[in-house]
């Protein structure tokens, strides 16, 4: 098993959309960045890349590359999934937190979870996203920016398949098989 941690922060500015978890959220300001500046998705991508020892999002999607100007972070997350798959890792779970004084994000979290799960081709119950304020403290509390952090757990394909075989054998065999000696 491998654990990864990610963090991101972007400044709040006028004349930008506020996009978090792939959801456009009504607000008077949005996040400044080369892409859509989706801090929660960026933190999740860095957690996944870190767990797989693949560097960070700046290495794979540099803000100096015009190809990523205004790109959807959900699209970048799909590309990270491909990198994870190429290394034969399986995502076990993701836990992420958004730090923002305003707006209130609770009504948007279920859609954020769905967007992240869909992009990563995992179940929604493998993704947890939550939001908190900072009680008016610091740059997020003063509404100058929004930050996010995330942690994830990856396992290898071999461990994932072995766990499945063990579980299926305990329940009477694999897909109609009369059983074998594995896991008994």
């Amino acid at each position: 098993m491998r654990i990864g941690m990610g963090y991101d922060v972007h400044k709040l500015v006028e004349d930008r959309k506020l996009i978090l978890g792939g959801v456009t959220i009504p607000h008077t300001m949005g996040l400044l960045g080369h892409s859509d500046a989706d801090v929660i998705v960026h933190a999740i991508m860095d957690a996944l890349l870190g767990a797989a020892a693949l560097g960070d999002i700046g290495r794979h999607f540099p803000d100096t590359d015009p190809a990523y100007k205004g790109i959807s972070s959900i699209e970048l997350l799909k590309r990270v999934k491909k990198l994870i798959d190429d290394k034969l890792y399986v995502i076990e779970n993701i836990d992420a937190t958004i730090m923002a004084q305003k707006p209130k994000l609770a009504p948007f979290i279920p859609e954020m979870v769905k967007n992240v799960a869909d992009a990563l081709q995992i179940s929604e119950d493998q993704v947890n996203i939550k939001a908190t304020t900072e009680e008016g403290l610091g740059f997020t509390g003063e509404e100058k920016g929004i930050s996010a952090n995330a942690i994830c757990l990856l396992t290898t394909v071999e461990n994932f398949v072995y766990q499945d075989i063990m579980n299926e054998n305990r329940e009477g065999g694999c897909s109609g098989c009369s059983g074998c000696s594995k896991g008994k």
Side-chain angles (χ1 to χ4, degrees):
M1 287 190 225
R2 301 176 68 108
I3 297 170
M5 178 260 184
Y7 174 81
D8 195 35
V9 60
H10 285 273
K11 181 179 179 177
L12 280 165
V13 296
E14 293 181 359
D15 300 322
R16 287 272 299 193
K17 290 181 181 179
L18 178 58
I19 300 171
L20 295 170
V23 180
T24 301
I25 297 170
H27 193 51
T28 57
M29 295 187 285
L31 295 170
L32 182 62
H34 187 67
S35 66
D36 63 6
D38 188 332
V39 293
I40 191 67
V41 174
H42 291 184
I44 290 168
M45 288 190 296
D46 268 345
L48 292 166
L49 290 168
L54 290 169
D56 62 19
I57 61 175
R59 174 177 157 195
H60 295 277
F61 316 111
D63 63 6
T64 55
D65 188 335
Y68 304 118
K69 177 79 173 153
I71 194 168
S72 163
S73 294
I74 292 291
E75 177 57 38
L76 296 178
L77 184 60
K78 291 175 184 177
R79 296 178 190 189
V80 168
K81 167 69 166 140
K82 170 82 168 88
L83 294 170
I84 298 299
D85 288 349
D86 289 349
K87 292 275 284 197
L88 302 179
Y89 289 116
V90 176
I91 300 167
E92 290 284 347
N93 76 303
I94 295 166
D95 187 25
T97 306
I98 304 167
M99 281 72 70
Q101 195 65 34
K102 289 182 183 171
K104 294 295 183 190
L105 299 173
F108 305 100
I109 289 177
E111 189 177 353
M112 292 181 203
V113 168
K114 181 179 182 344
N115 290 343
V116 169
D118 287 352
L120 294 172
Q121 300 172 330
I122 60 177
S123 172
E124 289 180 35
D125 68 1
Q126 292 174 271
V127 179
N128 187 60
I129 297 176
K130 53 202 175 291
T132 188
T133 68
E134 298 212 276
E135 305 299 330
L137 300 173
F139 70 89
T140 57
E142 295 171 4
E143 300 179 52
K144 294 180 180 177
I146 294 178
S147 64
N149 59 43
I151 189 165
C152 73
L153 178 65
L154 301 180
T155 191
T156 63
V157 168
E158 294 89 1
N159 283 341
F160 185 77
V161 170
Y162 178 74
Q163 289 169 2
D164 276 356
I165 289 171
M166 293 295 289
N167 289 335
E168 287 180 13
N169 283 335
R170 284 190 200 119
E171 297 168 4
C174 306
S175 302
C177 174
S178 61
C180 64
S181 62
K182 288 184 183 179
K184 291 183 181 180

